[in-house]
């Protein structure tokens, strides 16, 4: 197999499922009888800010109570020991990659533990609730929203992500259904630039046919195995 000098890993909710954090499409995809796609939008926030703040306050508390699992820790080991280029692009808003030891992580859909002031545009690490309208530490206004990329909003860090996809020789997708763009299109972008593509997922996804290889099973088993393979080369 050709040398591996540059890896891009894309992760989705499935990598955090075994840490007890709910995925989007496993259950009925509803929250308080609202479709998540409706809650996770600027329109949903404008229509009912208290409902959307409650949704994210609850998930922020769940993120803080969750622990990284063997898959997050294996990617932390890869980050420490792989001497080539590595970028972990996550669609997840939890901080389990960081707590699992990974450093080269980009949160393309924002972060649960970050608050974004709509009055002065400052962003703050935030571990508590936002629903009660706390004052922004920078400007004092009660105008902070979750620092999350909602449907219809531009994902973060797209330029460094596209650069990494153009340069990588291996693209690995872990725990994502391939339902949401532009993340779901990354595999084609990497393949078009000559990268090999590998999917590690519990079940076949919407994008499985786009991968050179698909391994089905829980991330906590598949990811440590794959990291061992890469580091043994
Ligand atoms: C954009 C943050 C424009 C929120 C999320 C019409 C109008 C407007 C936009 C669109 C439109 N039609 C299409 C679009 C684009 C839209 C989109 O793709 N919609 C979909 C619904 C069709 N995308 C956007 O709006 C994006 N922005 O397009 O901007 C633009 C773009 C470029 C340039 C200019 C303008 C923004 C999308 C971001 C939305 N925010 N999250 C929050 O977290 O609350 S999306 C959310 O769902 C997640 O972040 C994630 O990205 C996404 C998909 O979820 P997954 O992570 O894949 O989780 P899922 O449950 O689906 O799957 C889990 C998988 O894990 C399963 O396959 C399962 O088998 C597996 N699994 C389960 N357990 C395990 C496991 N695998 C391994 N081990 C296990 N134990």
């Amino acid at each position: 197999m050709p040398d591996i000098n540059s890896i891009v890993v894309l992760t989705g909710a499935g990598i955090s499922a075994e840490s007890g954090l709910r995925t989007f499409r496993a259950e009925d995809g509803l929250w308080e009888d609202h479709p998540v796609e409706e809650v996770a939008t600027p329109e949903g926030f404008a229509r009912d800010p208290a409902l959307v703040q409650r949704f994210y306050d609850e998930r922020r508390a769940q993120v803080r109570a969750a622990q990284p699992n063997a898959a997050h820790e294996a990617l932390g080991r890869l980050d420490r020991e792989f001497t080539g280029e590595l970028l972990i692009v996550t669609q997840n808003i939890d901080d389990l990659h960081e707590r699992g030891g990974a450093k080269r992580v980009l949160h393309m859909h924002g972060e649960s533990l970050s608050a974004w002031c709509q009055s002065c545009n400052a962003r703050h690490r935030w571990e508590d609730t936002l629903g009660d309208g706390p004052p922004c530490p920078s400007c004092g206004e009660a105008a902070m929203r979750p620092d999350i990329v909602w449907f219809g909003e531009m994902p973060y860090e797209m330029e460094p992500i596209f650069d990494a996809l153009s340069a990588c020789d291996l693209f690995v997708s872990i725990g994502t259904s391939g339902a949401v763009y532009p993340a779901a299109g990354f595999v084609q972008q990497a393949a078009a630039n000559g990268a090999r593509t590998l999917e590690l997922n519990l079940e076949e996804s919407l994008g499985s046919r786009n991968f050179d290889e698909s391994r089905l099973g829980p991330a906590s088993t598949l990811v440590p195995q794959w990291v061992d393979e890469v580091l043994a080369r």
Side-chain angles (χ1 to χ4, degrees), residues 94-182:
D94 62 57
D95 62 343
L96 297 180
H97 280 303
E98 292 83 351
R99 288 201 271 144
K103 297 198 179 334
R104 295 178 271 185
V105 181
L106 288 185
H107 286 266
M108 66 179 288
H109 291 161
E111 296 180 70
S112 180
L113 297 174
S114 176
W116 178 21
C117 180
Q118 299 303 285
S119 169
C120 71
N121 209 31
R123 283 174 164 83
H124 303 283
R125 180 169 173 85
W126 204 264
E127 301 193 345
D128 304 316
T129 54
L130 285 172
D132 40 348
C136 164
S138 301
C139 72
E141 291 298 315
M144 292 191 287
R145 62 164 267 192
D147 184 12
I148 301 284
V149 176
W150 285 327
F151 288 96
E153 294 186 323
M154 174 72 124
Y156 292 157
E157 310 276 10
M158 290 309 291
E159 201 171 314
I161 292 170
F162 284 143
D163 290 347
L165 289 169
S166 310
C168 73
D169 38 46
L170 178 59
F171 175 79
V172 186
S173 174
I174 304 171
T176 180
S177 62
V180 172
Y181 289 84

Side-chain angles (χ1 to χ4, degrees), residues 12-15 17-18 23-26 37 40 55-56 59 91-93 109 148-155 175-182 200-203 205 217-219:
I15 198 170
E18 291 164 272
T23 66
F24 284 81
R25 289 160 189 86
E37 269 79 12
F55 176 60
Y56 286 100
R59 289 176 64 201
Q91 301 173 86
N92 300 338
I93 62 175
H109 291 161
I148 301 284
V149 176
W150 285 327
F151 288 96
E153 294 186 323
M154 174 72 124
T176 180
S177 62
V180 172
Y181 289 84
L200 307 177
N201 207 52
L202 190 64
E203 61 208 354
S205 74

